[in-house]
Amino acid sequence: MTKIAQAARAGTLESSDLFVRVVPIEGEAVEIELESTVCEIYADAIYATIKESAIALGAVGVKLIVQDKGALDYVIKARVQSALLRAYGISEPDWSVL
């Protein structure tokens, strides 16, 4: 994908959900900043799910700022995908990669 069109966000700060903000950064990396109520136990799994979702969409040059309140994997994927699609200005995604 090309550079993001705008900063974007998805999700809430309610229990069992997470809030994702996408901001542009220089370069081609995908950076992840994570704050979680279950970080001590599940940080590696949460990072992996976020990274996997971003890579599947071909995201580059973004920083994902994630505030997790105990979300399950499918919620993490949905929120990350929603935020990235909004950031890239994509209204009709390629459903085969999601």
Side-chain angles (χ1 to χ4, degrees):
M1 285 190 173
T2 60
K3 291 288 186 183
I4 65 174
Q6 61 195 3
R9 59 192 169 142
T12 70
L13 292 174
E14 298 294 322
S15 181
S16 300
D17 201 355
L18 76 159
F19 186 74
V20 180
R21 287 186 294 148
V22 180
V23 294
I25 60 171
E26 293 297 320
E28 302 294 311
V30 174
E31 294 180 11
I32 300 169
E33 180 181 311
L34 175 64
E35 175 187 314
S36 176
T37 57
V38 294
C39 208
E40 295 172 0
I41 303 168
Y42 298 110
D44 292 340
I46 296 168
Y47 273 110
T49 303
I50 294 167
K51 189 79 161 185
E52 174 187 304
S53 298
I55 289 171
L57 288 172
V60 294
V62 296
K63 180 175 186 176
L64 301 166
I65 303 165
V66 179
Q67 293 174 279
D68 172 53
K69 299 296 183 181
L72 297 174
D73 283 356
Y74 68 91
V75 176
I76 297 169
K77 288 178 184 179
R79 296 302 193 195
V80 169
Q81 291 168 354
S82 294
L84 285 169
L85 291 172
R86 289 173 183 166
Y88 282 104
I90 297 172
S91 58
E92 292 294 326
D94 177 4
W95 293 107
S96 67
V97 300
L98 303 178

